[in-house]
Amino acid sequence: MCGRYASSKSPDDLVEIFEVDRFDPADELPPDWNIAPTKQVYAVLERPVESGGPPARQLRPVKWGLVPSWAKDPGMGAKMINARSETVHEKPAYRKAFAARRCLLPADGYFEWHTPETAPDGPKGASRKQPYWIHPADGAEVAFAGLYEWWRDRSRADDDPLGWLWTCTILTLDADPELARIHHRMPLVLTRDKWDGWLDPAWTEPEEVRGLLVPPPTGFMTAHPVSTDVNNVRNNAPHLLEAIPEDEVTVDATLF
């Protein structure tokens, strides 16, 4: 799964990396090293800027936690931060977005927590979980496969710009064998050669799109233990990504 990640690059950098055509400076988000569900995050997507116009690649903020258009309450988005890539094409909450509203979610990497099999003084789970920072081994930009939706707030006027809530979810899959020792699921990281196809709104056949749901090669992502400071969402600084000394790690040193 993916329940916390970091995205610290500037919009100028993201515009260049993802070959974005349109970004409104008023939408700029601050660097975030501890993104939690329901926060605003950057999404790269392709859709017309004007009704009837050609698709344009855009960088825009969306809320993490997908709210289907038919939802009565936007609060359900907090429970829909992830979607299983194996079944996303057939689930009512996601299938329309999978066919027509796909996006890339830029990231530096993500956090995952490992529970020791045996705690020093008791059974599994008796000691605190150890957080790990998981990121590309070569420092490349991460692009999570995502879906986006918009939800209409009927309590607001038709011309109220706040009347539409844009939201997203991150697709997940079985973890790479090396990373499965930390957690059995991971976000789907799309390699650069799949970005254009994933964003292309002309790709609407589920089976065609499912062909893109391929994880990066083994070894593309690497991991190291980090401070439990990341457990508190109020902590938000670059030090959260730094490796901690071995004597501070709460899991068996033979994990890696």
Side-chain angles (χ1 to χ4, degrees), residues 66-240:
L66 188 138
V67 180
S69 59
W70 43 260
K72 294 182 179 180
D73 180 3
M76 70 179 297
K79 299 179 180 179
M80 301 179 67
I81 63 170
N82 293 156
R84 293 177 66 90
S85 61
E86 298 90 342
T87 57
V88 66
H89 63 291
E90 59 190 14
K91 295 295 184 181
Y94 304 119
R95 61 191 178 198
K96 288 186 177 180
F98 183 72
R101 289 181 287 279
R102 299 181 299 276
C103 63
L104 296 173
L105 301 170
D108 305 329
Y110 69 99
F111 297 98
E112 193 54 82
W113 281 257
H114 173 75
T115 301
E117 288 294 330
T118 303
D121 54 355
K124 179 177 179 179
S127 65
R128 64 183 181 177
K129 295 181 179 181
Q130 172 63 54
Y132 279 80
W133 171 240
I134 303 173
H135 58 99
D138 63 359
E141 179 67 11
V142 170
F144 296 145
L147 306 178
Y148 71 94
E149 271 288 8
W150 54 84
W151 182 82
R152 178 74 171 92
D153 184 349
R154 299 296 177 184
S155 68
R156 295 181 178 273
D158 290 345
D159 58 352
D160 187 340
L162 298 179
W164 291 95
L165 175 64
W166 289 67
T167 62
C168 70
T169 190
I170 296 173
L171 271 61
T172 66
L173 77 170
D174 287 338
D176 176 292
E178 290 298 310
L179 301 178
R181 290 179 284 183
I182 300 174
H183 193 278
H184 68 285
R185 300 288 290 182
M186 65 178 287
L188 174 54
V189 175
L190 292 179
T191 51
R192 187 179 291 266
D193 60 305
K194 296 180 178 63
W195 292 359
D196 290 346
W198 182 253
L199 294 177
D200 191 344
W203 286 36
T204 59
E205 292 297 327
E207 289 307 311
E208 182 180 38
V209 178
R210 289 183 69 197
L212 298 172
L213 302 180
V214 180
T218 297
F220 182 84
M221 305 290 283
T222 188
H224 61 247
V226 294
S227 168
T228 54
D229 286 354
V230 72
N231 295 355
N232 188 331
V233 296
R234 290 189 293 272
N235 294 327
N236 199 330
H239 82 273
L240 297 177

